[in-house]
Amino acid sequence: MTTASIATTPATANPNALQDTLALVGRILIALLFVPAGFAKLTGFAGTVGYIASVGAPLPQVAAVIAILVELGVGLMLLVGFKTRFAAVVLALFTLAASVLFHNYWSMPADKAFVNQLMFFKNIAVAGGLFVIAALGAGRFGIDRK
């Protein structure tokens, strides 16, 4: 494919179409991290509460309900592009808080630190992507555009 033919393909002829498509794909992929996790917490509520309690978080039942509302409810908002900027900021802040609480590799024994460090920085990257979504919005393929 020559440079001239690339410049006239439909996606590059209308850069907004490419941006809107990538925004949709990005929202779907990030929502896949939150929505199933929220559903799993809902259906396994007792286990979720137990896990939250195991890290010493206060009010584990309340924390579990908040986690479900954020991951499932706000995750679905992100997925469909409803109040996308707000949803992305909420999910980013939630992810940062969860990272510090559940993946505090700096205070773990070496055998647990490596995996938790990976999880911590994966979450930091996810939060970064969510802040980009918050900055740019849902794109054309979201409820916000209706």
Side-chain angles (χ1 to χ4, degrees):
M1 197 177 248
T2 67
T3 306
S5 64
I6 291 172
T8 58
T9 59
T12 56
N14 181 2
N16 287 339
L18 178 60
Q19 291 169 351
D20 291 334
T21 301
L22 291 175
L24 173 63
V25 170
R27 286 194 344 262
I28 291 168
L29 293 175
I30 291 179
L32 282 173
L33 184 64
F34 293 101
V35 174
F39 186 74
K41 285 176 179 62
L42 179 64
T43 58
F45 189 76
T48 300
V49 170
Y51 180 64
I52 292 170
S54 77
V55 299
L59 303 169
Q61 293 88 352
V62 174
V65 170
I66 291 169
I68 292 165
L69 291 173
V70 170
E71 289 181 345
L72 190 55
V74 181
L76 287 170
M77 289 172 63
L78 181 75
L79 179 65
V80 301
F82 177 67
K83 299 198 181 287
T84 307
R85 293 173 193 261
F86 169 78
V89 168
V90 168
L91 288 167
L93 295 174
F94 173 82
T95 301
L96 292 172
S99 298
V100 171
L101 239 123
F102 296 99
H103 301 297
N104 54 341
Y105 66 92
W106 52 89
S107 65
M108 294 181 173
D111 62 325
K112 292 185 179 182
F114 179 73
V115 170
N116 277 280
Q117 183 179 18
L118 290 174
M119 298 297 285
F120 178 86
F121 282 106
K122 181 260 313 167
N123 283 359
I124 298 302
V126 168
L130 286 161
F131 284 130
V132 171
I133 291 172
L136 301 177
R140 184 175 46 171
F141 304 121
I143 292 174
D144 291 345
R145 298 289 283 196
K146 303 289 179 204

